[in-house]
Amino acid sequence: MSRIAKRFSDLAAEGRGALIPYLEAYDPDRETSLALLRAMPAAGADLIEVGIPFSDPSADGPVIQAAALRGLKAGATLAGVLGMVSAFREGDAHTPVILMGYVNPVESYGYERFCKDAVAAGVDGVVLVDLPPEEADVIEAPAKAAGLDIIRLVAPTTTPERLGYVLSHASGFVYYVSIAGITGTRTASAGDLRAAIPRVRAATSLPVAVGFGVRTPEQAAQAASIADGAVVASVLIETLAGTLDAQGHATDATLPTVLEQIGALATAVRAAGRQAA
Amino acid sequence: MANLMEQQKAARLNSSLRHEPDGRGHFGGRYGGRFVAETLVPLILELETAYAQAKADPAFQRELDYYLKDYVGRPSPLWLARRMTEKLGGAKIYLKREELNHTGSHKLNNVMGQILLARRMGRTRIVAETGAGQHGVATATVCALFGLKCVVYMGATDVERQKPNVFRMRLLGAEVVPVTAGAGTLKDAMNEAMRDWVANVADTYMLIGTVAGPAPYPAMVRDFQSVIGTEVKAQMQEAEGRLPDVVVAAIGGGSNAMGIFHPFLDDQSVRLIGVEAAGHGLDSGKTAASIERGRPGVLHGNRTYLLQSADGQIEEAHSISAGLDYPGVGPEHAWLNDIGRAEYVGATDEEALEAFQFCTELEGIIPALESAHAVAHAMKLAPTLPTDSLMVINLSGRGDKDIFTVAEHLGVQL
């Protein structure tokens, strides 16, 4: 059983959903983001998403755009991001790590090489935002051979006819993009999620996580209880950015402030348990 | 990905190079495609269906023809540039006068087609990206004509260097949003327009101005721009009784070039030359020559030649011309380059400035800086060709918008 499948099945046995915090690699520098990555599980992260900085993140809002730029300025490369995950794995064999990013750096690195190196580094799954199933043949075979999950996005605009097609290309879990929009801008209501999630569940046996627009502990608890997990990204990066000094460097407040927020999100997600869906 | 030799063979055997991309929106099995977030995939598939229906509907074509004739002002003339021809002393040079279209460039050909499609689809809000502002002005114009809400994203750097067009768009009722991300040029405007579209899918139509982006845009924009080449073919037949020998056009994303090339793809005797903006020089590191100095990658919904780092980060393009200042190129051009059907060369900022003055002084036509790149290459090539050879330069836009930039480079204060 993969780390992702095991984690979701353990949490299901506990009767709760997963908290999946996001960090942008190398934001604001390698050392700080690696320290944050290492500290996330103890703060309450059940799975972790690591953003691969890209120059043109066209599905992201201003917060993640800025984080990607800080990461690139700090020297992030795809190889460097894999190196970070590898360093994280030295101290944590169980927390699933998912890379999230855009396809061009991966295409440039080489799909087969990427899949092999990512698995060797301890990466469990990858979300490539601008690689829909129509174009995914370039990565599917090497990912399968290497044992890397391809996490698929499902959006409110995904039609019922299309849903089955998209999910037939998914592995690991399904990432439900809760709003038609870019990251960190709007928030879906609990009513929206209660209507949408059963539709996705009916079409897959994979766990479903909700992302885009999950900001508060209440929203995270709600999303993780209606679905199987909640991805929280922009609000954590906003917090991190708020602790940086005028030159954009990390301060003593950076790690504790972000970790405290993850702690509050985790407490709410754990208290909420899961709704019978 | 199909092997290049096989493609070249298939291209030779195939009855026509003028064809639709495959079911995945790929040209030559490799370039193009639909590389967008899931939120947008259902929308581009809907657009593809709507366009296929419109294309097959004679009423749509009649409506488009009406607006092209009475609003855009087509056909545009094919002008024999006598003084330019004499001065260069080689090929006989004709200028395809796209700068005489309403709004001053070829951009309106495509915009007219897409706005009629957007209306058929019931969309009420239009978003567009623009570099030099020519596409933005064309889009703002048709939105005024049909009473539609219009939002144009434009890089902050371009807002600064293309002030007249910004004012023009605002007069036409468009909201112009300066984009400060990145270098504040066309690439960044494109990112922001895509973000707007993702966030406003219910009522919004994204009106892309060039032969790039996810399928069906590259083929659709090409179809709407092909009126240029189709007219040239008929006009040259009338003027000279034969096909031209060389067709030259400037390339940023490549819509004016694709529009004039496409009807000639199967006429193997016609050399097709795309002129990229070399900026400070092809090897200066400050260039926009994606085909000559880039390599294939994925950006803005399609796989094509891109200026990028070894790590796959997209690099900033550089050109004196805002309309060519883009690190990619339309995917069909990428394919035409690989199979060798079209040639791609560069012209520098300096050469374009010289050509700008050359054309203005000899023909009384002030070309856009974009089009001046095509003129610059013609100035190099024409003298090497026999006097009975025929060359067509696509004069894609007029240069009134560029007089401030040119004045600055000439050290003149306006």
Side-chain angles (χ1 to χ4, degrees):
Chain A
M1 192 185 274
S2 73
R3 269 192 287 256
I4 292 176
K6 174 146 186 7
R7 180 54 53 96
F8 275 108
S9 113
D10 289 352
L11 294 177
E14 274 181 45
R16 69 172 179 91
L19 173 67
I20 313 174
Y22 175 101
L23 67 86
E24 188 79 10
Y26 284 67
D27 175 24
D29 58 74
R30 182 179 189 274
E31 197 186 334
T32 305
S33 67
L34 178 56
L36 182 57
L37 179 59
R38 283 177 164 149
M40 273 185 170
D46 297 307
L47 296 84
I48 301 172
E49 267 192 24
V50 176
I52 307 166
F54 182 51
S55 54
D56 293 78
S58 57
D60 283 300
V63 172
I64 295 183
Q65 288 172 46
L69 282 182
R70 286 192 298 268
L72 289 175
K73 218 173 145 193
T77 60
L78 185 49
V81 176
L82 296 179
M84 252 182 74
V85 177
S86 199
F88 166 80
R89 277 281 168 249
E90 289 167 10
D92 186 318
H94 303 296
T95 309
V97 172
I98 293 102
L99 296 186
M100 184 155 182
Y102 294 80
V103 70
N104 198 54
V106 175
E107 178 153 317
S108 187
Y109 192 93
Y111 292 103
E112 198 173 330
R113 180 178 160 225
F114 168 76
C115 293
K116 280 185 189 155
D117 290 358
V119 169
V123 173
D124 301 287
V126 62
V127 186
L128 294 174
V129 179
D130 54 349
L131 191 74
E134 281 85 349
E135 300 288 354
D137 58 342
V138 287
I139 199 170
E140 283 175 344
K144 195 165 182 192
L148 183 69
D149 282 332
I150 302 292
I151 316 283
R152 283 269 143 233
L153 300 173
V154 169
T157 50
T158 306
T159 56
E161 304 77 55
R162 186 174 162 74
L163 185 61
Y165 168 71
V166 173
L167 292 175
S168 72
H169 288 262
S171 50
F173 65 92
V174 177
Y175 188 131
Y176 182 70
V177 175
S178 68
I179 50 148
I182 51 176
T183 53
T185 49
R186 290 192 290 230
T187 298
S189 70
D192 291 342
L193 293 182
R194 282 198 192 95
I197 299 303
R199 183 166 78 91
V200 182
R201 276 201 200 289
T204 182
S205 54
L206 293 172
V208 181
V210 173
F212 283 48
V214 182
R215 300 179 63 84
T216 66
E218 293 70 34
Q219 287 163 356
Q222 209 160 52
S225 65
I226 297 170
D228 303 300
V231 181
V232 183
S234 293
V235 73
L236 293 173
I237 292 177
E238 260 171 55
T239 299
L240 178 142
T243 67
L244 303 179
D245 68 17
Q247 283 74 49
H249 298 138
T251 62
D252 290 346
T254 302
L255 285 186
T257 315
V258 178
L259 291 170
E260 189 189 326
Q261 193 172 21
I262 293 172
L265 291 160
T267 304
V269 166
R270 285 163 200 224
R274 171 183 276 146
Q275 294 182 357
Chain B
M1 290 180 198
N3 159 304
L4 187 61
M5 295 272 287
E6 283 170 22
Q7 274 185 54
Q8 286 170 333
K9 192 174 155 203
R12 277 196 304 274
L13 295 174
N14 195 323
S15 56
S16 177
L17 295 176
R18 302 181 62 191
H19 56 66
E20 295 310 311
D22 66 20
R24 291 172 60 175
H26 289 190
F27 295 93
R30 176 169 201 199
Y31 298 108
R34 297 188 185 95
F35 295 88
V36 294
E38 175 59 26
T39 316
L40 286 181
V41 176
L43 278 94
I44 59 171
L45 294 175
E46 183 196 357
L47 174 62
E48 185 151 304
T49 305
Y51 175 57
Q53 285 166 354
K55 197 175 169 180
D57 180 355
F60 179 80
Q61 197 55 53
R62 274 198 302 277
E63 191 185 15
L64 179 57
D65 287 346
Y66 162 74
Y67 284 104
L68 287 179
K69 176 171 172 288
D70 289 350
Y71 192 73
V72 180
R74 303 208 69 90
S76 68
L78 185 67
W79 169 250
L80 172 57
R82 287 181 201 283
R83 296 192 66 208
M84 212 187 255
T85 300
E86 278 167 24
K87 186 88 178 173
L88 294 173
K92 195 169 175 185
I93 299 172
Y94 284 86
L95 303 178
K96 178 58 173 168
R97 304 286 306 275
E98 289 298 301
E99 99 285 4
L100 289 177
N101 292 331
H102 181 38
T103 76
S105 81
H106 73 291
K107 291 292 185 186
L108 197 56
N109 302 329
N110 162 51
V111 166
M112 205 70 241
Q114 285 198 59
I115 203 75
L116 296 179
L117 183 60
R119 275 160 54 85
R120 267 174 86 103
M121 295 174 74
R123 298 291 195 272
T124 55
R125 181 175 176 274
I126 308 297
V127 297
E129 81 296 341
T130 198
Q134 296 299 82
H135 174 58
V137 167
T139 304
T141 296
V142 296
C143 287
L145 177 64
F146 292 114
L148 299 170
K149 186 169 167 43
C150 180
V151 181
V152 178
Y153 291 91
M154 187 168 184
T157 305
D158 291 340
V159 166
E160 199 46 47
R161 59 178 163 173
Q162 299 290 343
K163 282 179 190 153
N165 273 344
V166 174
F167 184 57
R168 213 166 274 149
M169 285 185 270
R170 289 184 173 144
L171 281 175
L172 289 160
E175 181 190 345
V176 180
V177 184
V179 179
T180 51
T185 58
L186 183 51
K187 159 175 99 89
D188 312 295
M190 185 78 165
N191 287 331
E192 211 55 35
M194 288 178 80
R195 290 182 186 118
D196 180 309
W197 192 22
V198 173
N200 298 285
V201 291
D203 63 348
T204 297
Y205 182 95
M206 178 152 172
L207 211 163
I208 294 181
T210 192
V211 287
Y217 287 99
M220 176 170 70
V221 175
R222 171 202 76 196
D223 290 350
F224 289 137
Q225 290 294 2
S226 290
V227 66
I228 304 173
T230 304
E231 284 178 8
V232 168
K233 221 171 190 180
Q235 289 166 325
M236 192 57 101
Q237 188 63 39
E238 199 181 331
E240 301 280 353
R242 67 180 185 92
L243 293 168
D245 299 298
V246 187
V247 174
V248 185
I251 295 212
S255 72
N256 90 77
M258 192 52 71
I260 198 166
F261 287 179
H262 197 256
F264 290 105
L265 288 185
D266 291 332
D267 301 303
Q268 295 288 344
S269 69
V270 183
R271 271 178 81 186
L272 305 173
I273 304 177
V275 187
E276 297 192 295
H280 292 186
L282 285 176
D283 296 313
S284 65
K286 286 179 116 29
T287 178
S290 324
I291 291 182
E292 292 154 284
R293 289 297 176 270
R295 61 188 171 89
V298 175
L299 180 72
H300 295 154
N302 58 179
R303 183 183 285 113
T304 187
Y305 281 89
L306 298 172
L307 297 175
Q308 56 180 317
S309 72
D311 194 47
Q313 304 294 338
I314 310 305
E315 290 176 342
E316 299 293 348
H318 170 85
S319 170
I320 189 174
S321 142
L324 304 181
D325 206 343
Y326 182 70
V329 64
E332 197 166 6
H333 284 297
W335 172 65
L336 291 175
N337 174 68
D338 283 10
I339 63 167
R341 176 61 190 97
E343 305 159 45
Y344 296 86
V345 298
T348 64
D349 290 352
E350 286 306 318
E351 289 166 341
L353 277 167
E354 192 191 326
F356 179 96
Q357 296 167 81
F358 182 79
C359 183
T360 302
E361 287 163 14
L362 289 178
E363 295 296 331
I365 296 170
I366 303 178
L369 274 174
E370 290 76 20
S371 322
H373 286 75
V375 176
H377 186 70
M379 288 166 67
K380 290 182 226 171
L381 183 62
T384 70
L385 299 174
T387 51
D388 61 353
S389 60
L390 304 174
M391 175 186 280
V392 179
I393 303 171
N394 197 5
L395 209 77
S396 55
R398 69 175 185 228
D400 308 50
K401 69 185 176 60
D402 294 314
I403 56 172
F404 299 97
T405 306
V406 173
E408 193 187 317
H409 281 268
L410 299 179
V412 177
Q413 208 154 22
L414 293 186

